[in-house]
Amino acid sequence: MNILKIENLCVETSAKSQIIKNFSLELECGHILGILSPTGSGKTTLLNCVAGILPKNLNVTGNIELAQNTVISYAFQDYRLLNNCTVLENLIIPLKHLKNILIPQKQEEALELLQKMQLDSPEKKAGVLSGGEKQRLSLARALIYPSNLLLLDEPFNALSQEVKKSVLDVVKEQLKSRSAIIVSHDKNDLDYLCDSIVKSF
């Protein structure tokens, strides 16, 4: 069973410059797909299409079909954190509108995940974090959200090799019960995490 099916997706700017041309994809439930292609090839645009958050100045044709009851969480390349909120608040706030979520229980889970991500100051404001810390927080926020489809856009770019190894292990564990599309320029990361890799896009 597919969680996602894309048929003949084309995206172009209002000036008729093509970003994505005739792209098709089928993602099975539980499958982890890596996308490896050069900067500027449209990988982030593809993830935004799946998430339904493209800017209005882009023209889109083709079909994107998600399985019923698909819930998406997204780790953005530009982090999109609430800089005036604490590390812990950045994880908990997106959960507060969900039904049947016990926030105290999720807070305990969040603290455990932050520890695994080597973010040891949950009361620190997100705006003062380093680039690597912000990236780990953005990734943790996507992981803790109760989704069945993860979109990860260059999720390890700002991490040192030492930190990346432990973060990769955390992500691999979290992916066991989900489907995912992971965009990365690092083939080794994708080889470690993914069931298959798309190399031309």
Side-chain angles (χ1 to χ4, degrees):
M1 178 181 173
N2 291 329
I3 192 169
L4 170 67
K5 185 176 183 179
I6 301 173
E7 293 181 299
N8 302 319
L9 179 67
C10 296
V11 181
E12 62 181 24
T13 66
S14 55
K16 304 300 182 182
S17 176
Q18 281 199 320
I19 302 172
I20 298 174
K21 182 179 180 180
N22 294 328
F23 182 76
S24 297
L25 168 72
E26 292 188 15
L27 183 68
E28 294 182 358
C29 292
H31 193 84
I32 311 302
L33 175 69
I35 297 180
L36 179 72
S37 58
T39 299
S41 60
K43 300 185 298 296
T44 296
T45 299
L46 173 65
L47 296 187
N48 289 342
C49 283
V50 174
I53 55 171
L54 273 185
K56 293 181 179 179
N57 65 326
L58 296 181
N59 302 313
V60 182
T61 59
N63 185 54
I64 297 177
E65 182 180 344
L66 290 164
Q68 190 174 10
N69 300 321
T70 297
V71 178
I72 293 173
S73 56
Y74 195 159
F76 297 95
Q77 191 171 353
D78 56 358
Y79 311 143
R80 303 194 187 188
L81 301 172
L82 303 171
N83 286 328
N84 290 325
C85 293
T86 67
V87 168
L88 182 59
E89 286 169 341
N90 268 276
L91 268 65
I92 298 301
I93 288 173
L95 303 173
K96 289 188 174 180
H97 73 283
L98 299 176
K99 295 179 180 178
N100 302 319
I101 291 291
L102 299 175
I103 293 301
Q105 182 178 327
K106 274 295 180 182
Q107 181 166 318
E108 186 176 334
E109 182 182 334
L111 290 169
E112 182 179 343
L113 181 58
L114 289 174
Q115 187 175 28
K116 290 179 179 178
M117 287 289 193
Q118 301 180 40
L119 293 167
D120 299 322
S121 300
E123 298 307 316
K124 185 184 287 187
K125 291 293 180 68
V128 302
L129 299 177
S130 68
E133 289 172 327
K134 287 180 178 180
Q135 185 157 59
R136 279 177 273 151
L137 179 54
S138 174
L139 185 52
R141 182 181 57 190
L143 293 175
I144 201 170
Y145 196 83
S147 64
N148 51 6
L149 176 59
L150 275 167
L151 306 177
L152 308 182
D153 191 0
E154 295 285 4
F156 313 111
N157 245 5
L159 305 184
S160 67
Q161 288 301 314
E162 182 179 351
V163 171
K164 184 197 287 190
K165 178 62 174 70
S166 62
V167 171
L168 282 168
D169 289 339
V170 174
V171 174
K172 192 174 183 70
E173 178 65 27
Q174 291 280 334
L175 289 175
K176 285 182 179 179
S177 58
R178 309 195 208 189
S179 309
I181 301 176
I182 305 173
V183 165
S184 178
H185 67 279
D186 191 321
K187 185 175 182 297
N188 291 330
D189 295 348
L190 296 182
D191 283 339
Y192 184 66
L193 293 174
C194 298
D195 300 312
S196 63
I197 299 174
V198 174
K199 295 182 180 179
S200 58
F201 179 66

